[in-house]
Amino acid sequence: MKPLPILAILLALASVARAEPGKSDDPIVARLFPPELIMKHQRELAIDDKQRDVMVAEVQKTQAQLVPLQWQMQGATEQMTKLLDAPKLDETKVLAQVDKMITIEREFKRAHLGLLVRLRNLLTDTQRSRLAELRKENP
């Protein structure tokens, strides 16, 4: 598995926060902002140097958590594939393996959601309002 750039990782994981408003009734989506949306509009939002530096640090910290989890998930997926290739499936082993996969996925989503919360908390009320408008204008 090749290491993924930070933005690729976050883009792949931002499905919760990237869903288009109006096309989703998810109340979480309307309240969080993916890092790429903030980056794309940083000048318009008047993101200052301090905000940007903290946001970059938060994204990097999260990447450090997510990359090992990606490796773990890939390994767990390979193990599941091996189990499912057997002529007769061992239900106990398959279910134990899916539990491992769900645990990794939970940690992955938790780290990502934590990032989205921290980024949102770094924004001012005005910046959050403007981002919500921008997301509606340019889905």
Side-chain angles (χ1 to χ4, degrees):
M1 180 176 168
K2 295 180 183 177
L4 296 175
I6 191 168
L7 201 50
I9 292 170
L10 294 175
L11 287 172
L13 298 173
S15 60
V16 169
R18 272 193 301 154
E20 294 180 39
K23 292 188 178 184
S24 172
D25 293 329
D26 189 338
I28 296 170
V29 170
R31 290 165 174 83
L32 298 173
F33 307 101
E36 65 274 9
L37 182 66
I38 298 168
M39 285 186 278
K40 182 178 179 181
H41 298 289
Q42 60 185 302
R43 288 183 192 213
E44 185 174 354
L45 296 169
I47 299 292
D48 63 35
D49 291 342
K50 184 178 178 183
Q51 280 179 304
R52 186 183 60 249
D53 291 347
V54 174
M55 286 180 186
V56 168
E58 289 296 338
V59 169
Q60 289 173 335
K61 182 175 83 173
T62 302
Q63 181 189 27
Q65 291 177 290
L66 296 179
V67 171
L69 289 171
Q70 283 183 300
W71 279 85
Q72 289 176 30
M73 182 57 88
Q74 184 60 43
T77 300
E78 289 176 28
Q79 182 62 34
M80 178 64 88
T81 301
K82 184 178 175 182
L83 291 171
L84 295 175
D85 282 343
K88 183 166 177 131
L89 301 180
D90 183 329
E91 183 177 355
T92 302
K93 287 182 181 179
V94 169
L95 294 178
Q97 188 61 28
V98 80
D99 286 341
K100 288 179 188 177
M101 294 173 74
I102 289 168
T103 298
I104 296 166
E105 183 179 4
R106 179 190 173 279
E107 290 177 39
F108 201 89
K109 288 180 178 183
R110 189 176 195 281
H112 183 248
L113 184 60
L115 171 65
L116 297 178
V117 168
R118 289 188 302 276
L119 292 178
R120 183 184 182 277
N121 285 339
L122 291 168
L123 298 167
T124 65
D125 291 343
T126 303
Q127 290 169 329
R128 285 192 301 272
S129 296
R130 184 64 187 134
L131 266 176
E133 291 170 14
L134 288 166
R135 185 168 43 194
K136 288 178 185 174
E137 292 170 9
N138 302 305

